[in-house]
Amino acid sequence: MPKPTEGLPLDDGTHTDSIDQPASDRGHWFHFNVGTVVLRRLQQAAGDHPGSVEVVGFARRLPDTTQAPYAGCEWHALDIGTDEGRAALTAALEGVDAVVHLAWAIQPNRNEGAMHRTNVTGTANALQATADASVRHFVCASLVGA
């Protein structure tokens, strides 16, 4: 199947970048990262509706916040695969309306423990933190391989 060199187009005409992902309904491959697509769209909504949308990100390793799409977002470093990470996430989610959980690992597939910690424990911790903080909406995306 051919793989286009361009990424998935966004509403503003820009393209994303990162991983190859099949779009089976079209029979083509697109090159994109779900997290950056969601982040760009939320930032667009924040720009379209000033004061109504605030974007807060969580990552084990903080991104370069001087670069798009990471600029303009409040970032917290935490590891959702740990009890400490779950506690920090719970505190940070107080007053939040919705959580979009996109943390998954498909590598290193030779280390099932590390993948379980991210995919299973991390998702369980994100769900628990969301419930403990009384957040009403939780959106979770995963990979078949995760």
Side-chain angles (χ1 to χ4, degrees):
M1 225 176 265
K3 295 181 182 181
T5 56
E6 292 184 337
L8 183 68
L10 299 175
D11 293 345
D12 64 0
T14 62
H15 292 79
T16 62
D17 55 8
S18 193
I19 60 172
D20 286 326
Q21 181 72 23
S24 59
D25 61 329
R26 295 187 184 110
H28 297 287
W29 283 79
F30 291 97
H31 188 70
F32 72 100
N33 177 295
V34 175
T36 57
V37 171
V38 171
L39 185 54
R40 287 178 194 270
R41 183 61 187 100
L42 288 172
Q43 289 174 334
Q44 183 181 18
D48 292 347
H49 307 282
S52 66
V53 177
E54 180 181 355
V55 182
V56 180
F58 301 91
R60 190 171 38 229
R61 291 177 306 275
L62 295 179
D64 180 355
T65 58
T66 65
Q67 301 295 315
Y70 310 106
C73 180
E74 177 186 330
W75 286 94
H76 299 268
L78 60 86
D79 184 344
I80 63 167
T82 66
D83 290 340
E84 297 81 14
R86 185 186 67 240
L89 183 59
T90 301
L93 292 179
E94 291 295 329
V96 167
D97 295 319
V99 171
V100 179
H101 174 60
L102 300 174
W104 63 70
I106 58 172
Q107 298 289 334
N109 60 9
R110 68 189 173 287
N111 186 341
E112 289 185 22
M115 289 179 24
H116 185 275
R117 188 173 149 278
T118 298
N119 298 332
V120 177
T121 305
T123 299
N125 283 346
L127 284 163
Q128 189 62 57
T130 300
D132 291 347
S134 300
V135 178
R136 295 183 53 188
H137 304 281
F138 186 90
V139 177
C140 181
S142 185
L143 294 173
V144 173

